[in-house]
Amino acid sequence: MNTIKPSSPYIRPIPSMVLNALHCTQSKPNPSFSPKYPSILATNIIKSYFDKGVIKEARKLFDEMPDRDVVTWTAMITGYTSCNYESFAWNIFYEMLKEGVKPNAFTVSSVLKCCKGMKCYSCGALVHGLSVKHGLVGSIYVDNSLMDVYGYTHRGDGYGGLRAFQQMLSEGAEQSAFSFSIAVKACALTGASSHGGQLHATSVKYGLNSSLPVMNSIIDMYCWFQCLSEASQCFNEMPQKDIISWNTLISGYKRSNSTMCLSLFTSMESQGFTPNCFTFTSVVAACADLSILTCGQQIHANILRKGLDRNMAIGNSLIDMYAKCGSISDSRKIFELLSFKDLVSWTSMMIAYGVHGYGVESVKLFDEMVKSGIRPDRVVFMTVLSACSHAGLVNEGLMYFDSMKTEYNIIPDQDIYGCVVDLLGRAGKVEAAYELIQNMPVNPNDSVWGALLGSCKAHKLPNLGKLAAQFMLEAKPDMARTYLLLSNLYASEGEWKDFAKMRKLMKGLGGRKEPGCSWIELKNDVYSFAVGDKVGPQTERVYEVLSMMILHMEVAGYVPDIDYSLHEFEDGIS
DNA sequence: ATAGGGTTAG
């Protein structure tokens, strides 16, 4: 649990004797305490600070301690890890080694848990090596945590996990709720829904369907398989539900039906369950998905009343929600308020700036983040590259691309290449972008070709554009947009035969294209409208205002881009 | 002060 509660009401007052003991080492020596004693007390207090989620206080105490032994360092590593601050835990471990403190079995198993949380298996291997060097392998704790780091399911290898489970079954090993819930999780990871039903049936056979963790993981599995009715059925048939059962179903619905997610939240509260940080992150994300600001604000108020506003996961989802609801200043407020920011906090704020056109601010935030000691990952590099691209910071972007590979050992994937192609192409260096594609070590996918296609269109390079569009169609044949662009390219070149071919292919996709729409929130209701919609008695007035706005835009020099709207004309929507 | 199941955010 990483609940960060407001400090004062949750912390038991520290007895003055303890406080004296803490300070006596320097100012007034107290004969009743041996020099070691205060450090043990302080270590215990550090642990309890982490238990309450007041991380800053823990760190402050740690920084003030004059003598820190291996136990103190380990308490910091365990504490940070238990609050999901793995990168801080890792930094502490690094500092500890630098100061020459020798890790013991406790330290190593804590650090391994931290590696697992970071999903950083090279870090795990590093610690493995260190454990061998310090003769710590063979301790049951160290061995189990090593297995945990290297284990199948936690690494995302669902099939590996299931194979181990199958072996367990065939060897007749005793089954428990523990093994089952992990097996179900492994099955969810494979995405093979047929095994899911079997596993569910087997759990009934072993009488484990009364275990809350087992049933909760089964609900989660059905949600990942998009079998929402099966998930709901399991949920409804459970004689007893806990908060995790609700959270599992709510987060499942958030992924496929945000409206339903919100109504589940309402029934959860009406049945007397108190939402926690997990619930709120899903529900806030649902508001972000639906772009419903007032609802998001009401839930935010609920969060404030429960004193959960300093929780990092909730804060991160609030940043995203306010940005997606158009209220970037609120995103920034939440971001500033977070006493602890992790990689996701920074990335969310950077994306918020990016989508609102503040590329420079986004890039600045990236530098600040790195300076604060957080190690960037693939996602945040995508964010900073796209920010550079939109702000026209080509050289800076290329520099980040380079440091990603050389400084952070992140191997660029297709999406990253897509960002760099976009960076170059947007700035008019379309040839350089094409050259990059030809030299990239992985096969270019639709995001790469799409970026090139976009820049060919913007900089009017029909020939390269046609090439990009053809590759794009190979990679992703169901994009009506690509056919449209390609057909327009053919039309501009007078290649009517190819034009007709594209139009025909495009029509075949007709039913699959989702119509675009806009919406506005007015007095607790959301009104959505598509091109050409009639919006009640006020329709005429709305269109009057619209034509006036278009006139203003044209006076200001706006030239409409009709490449994408042609399709709508043909469908007769417009 | 140490490991072991299910739910969260970019």
Side-chain angles (χ1 to χ4, degrees):
Chain A
M1 271 289 253
N2 59 335
T3 313
I4 301 167
K5 287 164 184 156
S7 37
S8 43
Y10 293 90
I11 299 183
R12 261 174 287 134
I14 302 165
S16 55
M17 190 188 77
V18 174
L19 284 176
N20 289 338
L22 284 174
H23 294 297
C24 73
T25 44
Q26 278 158 339
S27 45
K28 34 175 187 168
N30 183 334
S32 63
F33 293 107
S34 74
K36 214 64 200 145
Y37 194 38
S39 125
I40 291 174
L41 272 176
T43 304
N44 279 325
I45 294 169
I46 285 177
K47 187 191 175 299
S48 72
Y49 274 148
F50 276 117
D51 288 344
K52 308 286 181 222
V54 280
I55 296 157
K56 273 203 158 166
E57 277 77 357
R59 177 73 205 223
K60 200 167 158 241
L61 183 50
F62 176 76
D63 286 338
E64 284 171 358
M65 280 176 70
D67 43 279
R68 301 181 286 214
D69 61 359
V70 61
V71 182
T72 320
W73 287 95
T74 305
M76 286 300 288
I77 294 170
T78 315
Y80 272 134
T81 305
S82 69
C83 295
N84 287 6
Y85 290 101
E86 283 90 357
S87 56
F88 289 85
W90 182 257
N91 284 342
I92 289 279
F93 179 58
Y94 180 76
E95 273 179 54
M96 171 183 156
L97 294 178
K98 231 171 49 185
E99 288 203 7
V101 180
K102 254 184 77 174
N104 62 17
F106 296 93
T107 323
V108 165
S109 54
S110 294
V111 177
L112 285 171
K113 193 183 172 195
C114 154
C115 297
K116 182 187 151 198
M118 290 194 293
K119 296 194 168 87
C120 177
Y121 307 108
S122 53
C123 297
L126 205 85
V127 178
H128 187 180
L130 266 169
S131 325
V132 175
K133 189 179 145 197
H134 289 280
L136 300 168
V137 176
S139 135
I140 186 79
Y141 295 125
V142 174
D143 288 356
N144 277 350
S145 23
L146 274 171
M147 273 202 292
D148 202 31
V149 169
Y150 289 127
Y152 296 115
T153 304
H154 290 137
R155 299 191 63 157
D157 179 4
Y159 282 108
L162 276 186
R163 269 197 307 275
F165 180 69
Q166 222 159 30
Q167 198 187 338
M168 231 178 129
L169 280 176
S170 64
E171 286 182 11
E174 200 191 331
Q175 291 302 326
S176 69
F178 281 78
S179 56
F180 249 88
S181 45
I182 301 174
V184 172
K185 170 97 190 156
C187 185
L189 285 170
T190 65
S193 51
S194 54
H195 296 310
Q198 285 176 4
L199 213 47
H200 184 187
T202 317
S203 76
V204 177
K205 192 179 119 191
Y206 279 91
L208 291 169
N209 55 335
S210 54
S211 147
L212 275 170
V214 170
M215 280 321 287
N216 290 343
S217 60
I218 286 175
I219 291 173
D220 189 48
M221 177 186 72
Y222 279 131
C223 285
W224 281 109
F225 292 156
Q226 303 259 33
C227 301
L228 276 310
S229 59
E230 278 86 349
S232 308
Q233 198 185 344
C234 283
F235 178 82
N236 291 329
E237 285 171 359
M238 278 167 82
Q240 270 190 357
K241 306 169 181 67
D242 66 359
I243 176 87
I244 297 181
S245 321
W246 282 96
N247 288 347
T248 306
L249 198 65
I250 285 175
S251 84
Y253 268 101
K254 188 220 78 192
R255 290 188 293 264
S256 48
N257 184 344
S258 296
T259 315
M260 188 61 193
C261 163
L262 291 176
S263 66
L264 265 172
F265 173 66
T266 316
S267 35
M268 167 185 171
E269 281 199 305
S270 68
Q271 289 186 33
F273 284 89
T274 308
N276 65 9
C277 52
F278 286 85
T279 329
F280 281 121
T281 40
S282 296
V283 176
V284 170
C287 293
D289 184 41
L290 298 165
S291 298
I292 36 177
L293 180 61
T294 5
C295 185
Q297 284 168 329
Q298 281 168 15
I299 289 169
H300 187 183
N302 200 340
I303 289 165
L304 285 166
R305 270 198 300 278
K306 294 206 166 57
L308 289 170
D309 56 311
R310 307 220 330 185
N311 174 279
M312 191 175 56
I314 293 181
N316 293 350
S317 56
L318 283 171
I319 292 171
D320 188 51
M321 185 274 287
Y322 278 119
K324 289 197 172 130
C325 293
S327 193
I328 181 102
S329 57
D330 286 315
S331 296
R332 181 76 207 199
K333 263 186 226 158
I334 304 285
F335 180 75
E336 296 292 344
L337 221 72
L338 282 179
S339 54
F340 252 85
K341 304 173 178 74
D342 72 350
L343 184 60
V344 179
S345 324
W346 290 91
T347 312
S348 307
M349 194 60 224
M350 284 175 63
I351 291 174
Y353 274 140
V355 297
H356 281 84
Y358 300 105
V360 178
E361 280 79 358
S362 184
V363 175
K364 247 166 70 185
L365 227 49
F366 180 85
D367 292 335
E368 255 181 71
M369 180 193 86
V370 173
K371 235 165 82 188
S372 81
I374 290 180
R375 191 185 166 84
D377 72 345
R378 202 187 62 85
V379 180
V380 78
F381 268 114
M382 274 178 62
T383 311
V384 76
L385 284 171
S386 113
C388 286
S389 173
H390 287 281
L393 302 168
V394 186
N395 291 333
E396 287 85 345
L398 291 176
M399 198 193 71
Y400 288 124
F401 180 53
D402 196 55
S403 82
M404 179 186 94
K405 293 181 289 187
T406 55
E407 261 181 77
Y408 299 102
N409 282 325
I410 299 172
I411 298 162
D413 62 357
Q414 296 162 320
D415 290 334
I416 294 278
Y417 273 104
C419 293
V420 182
V421 168
D422 187 68
L423 174 80
L424 291 166
R426 205 176 282 268
K429 306 187 179 218
V430 189
E431 292 293 332
Y434 184 48
E435 208 172 296
L436 181 75
I437 296 180
Q438 285 173 310
N439 292 322
M440 60 188 269
V442 277
N443 271 336
N445 68 350
D446 61 293
S447 65
V448 176
W449 289 119
L452 187 71
L453 180 58
S455 59
C456 288
K457 180 179 174 291
H459 295 98
K460 305 223 168 2
L461 294 165
N463 286 328
L464 193 54
K466 271 186 269 185
L467 189 94
Q470 275 154 2
F471 276 117
M472 175 91 185
L473 287 180
E474 257 174 52
K476 213 174 176 189
D478 59 350
M479 289 276 286
R481 231 175 182 232
T482 317
Y483 289 99
L484 181 70
L485 258 169
L486 196 51
S487 69
N488 287 348
L489 278 171
Y490 286 133
S492 67
E493 303 272 294
E495 296 165 26
W496 298 110
K497 228 171 139 183
D498 288 324
F499 170 84
K501 209 166 94 192
M502 287 304 118
R503 286 291 152 141
K504 213 172 150 191
L505 284 168
M506 195 167 80
K507 279 222 163 134
L509 295 172
R512 270 187 273 167
K513 187 176 170 283
E514 264 189 48
C517 70
S518 304
W519 58 89
I520 188 170
E521 226 181 324
L522 286 173
K523 292 187 183 164
N524 285 336
D525 267 313
V526 179
Y527 298 88
S528 76
F529 46 94
V531 181
D533 260 1
K534 303 275 180 284
V535 286
Q538 304 236 36
T539 301
E540 265 182 46
R541 180 123 177 71
V542 169
Y543 278 96
E544 233 171 75
V545 175
L546 189 64
S547 58
M548 240 161 66
M549 286 171 73
I550 292 173
L551 205 71
H552 280 297
M553 283 165 75
E554 279 169 356
V555 168
Y558 171 75
V559 182
D561 176 4
I562 55 164
D563 267 8
Y564 290 115
S565 48
L566 210 55
H567 189 206
E568 269 80 26
F569 278 113
E570 262 202 348
D571 287 350
I573 301 172
S574 181

